[in-house]
Amino acid sequence: MLLEEERKRKAALLPDLRADIASASSARLDSNVDDEHDPEGATIAFELSQASALLKQSAAGLDQVEAALARLDAGTYGTCAVCGEAIAEGRLEARPWTPFCITHAGAGRR
Ligand SMILES: [Zn+2]
């Protein structure tokens, strides 16, 4: 089951990302450097922001996959959350967690 695998894959990533952030944060505190002017401080700050962005992305992706699994349970999987039409098979293959048909692809985003 593709969604289950995707869920496991994403869920497995989160602890690693959290660990990266924790170690980058403590390296930043330990080094006590000026982020703006010290090259090492800037690198750590950059790594930290990259890891945070990735964590956010992964957590959001995991939410989407879990929502899709919930729709599978509810029997509404594969239909658009806006218009109720069937979502094209090719689209579901590319983005199995999507709750929207191609027409309403942007509907859930804010
Ligand atoms: Zn739709």
Side-chain angles (χ1 to χ4, degrees):
M1 171 63 202
L2 197 65
L3 279 169
E4 279 290 351
E5 274 167 35
E6 193 65 20
R7 190 178 65 83
K8 278 187 204 139
R9 204 176 63 80
K10 287 190 191 322
L13 270 175
L14 292 178
D16 283 355
L17 288 169
R18 292 209 177 93
D20 280 356
I21 290 170
S23 73
S25 297
S26 68
R28 192 183 196 180
L29 289 176
D30 290 346
S31 64
N32 193 28
V33 288
D34 185 336
D35 282 357
E36 303 273 319
H37 303 108
D38 185 295
E40 198 195 343
T43 304
I44 293 168
F46 178 73
E47 277 171 14
L48 201 54
S49 76
Q50 290 284 296
S52 300
L54 208 60
L55 178 65
K56 224 181 199 176
Q57 224 174 56
S58 299
L62 184 60
D63 282 351
Q64 284 185 317
V65 171
E66 282 179 343
L69 286 166
R71 288 196 302 279
L72 266 180
D73 280 347
T76 58
Y77 179 76
T79 56
C80 175
V82 178
C83 64
E85 294 290 318
I87 300 169
E89 214 166 288
R91 180 165 162 75
L92 280 177
E93 267 168 36
R95 303 172 61 84
W97 50 83
T98 187
F100 302 115
C101 72
I102 193 77
T103 311
H104 298 111
R109 281 186 224 130
R110 256 165 275 168

